[in-house]
Amino acid sequence: MVATQYTPYALPSTDPTAVHRGVGSLFAAAIVNQQFRKMLLENPEAALQKGYLGKTFILTREERALIVSARARSLSDLARRLTNS
């Protein structure tokens, strides 16, 4: 039996602050937890799949793709790459 992992994606919202809430949660987790931060920078796909404290991050497909492909060396580098895209 093969288990399928569900990855949630954000639904369109009329609330402009809701658009990047998942990215904010992701950065908050990375700031407070060194182990999660290291995983996010070294293996972002695994970090996004695992989530933090049992919760996954609600990201758009575009946000997820940018995070996974960023190859960032630090959180500030990741933030810069996300905001410059």
Side-chain angles (χ1 to χ4, degrees), residues 45-67:
E45 184 70 41
L48 294 178
Q49 285 181 351
K50 183 175 181 178
Y52 181 68
L53 296 178
K55 295 184 180 182
T56 56
F57 304 100
I58 299 174
L59 303 168
T60 66
R61 285 186 169 95
E62 293 80 14
E63 289 168 335
R64 183 179 179 83
L66 285 169
I67 291 165

Side-chain angles (χ1 to χ4, degrees), residues 18-44:
V19 175
H20 301 290
R21 199 171 286 153
V23 173
S25 297
L26 176 75
F27 272 88
I31 289 167
V32 301
N33 187 286
Q34 182 180 6
Q35 184 177 356
F36 180 76
R37 177 173 54 248
K38 184 177 184 207
M39 185 187 328
L40 178 62
L41 295 173
E42 292 177 0
N43 190 347

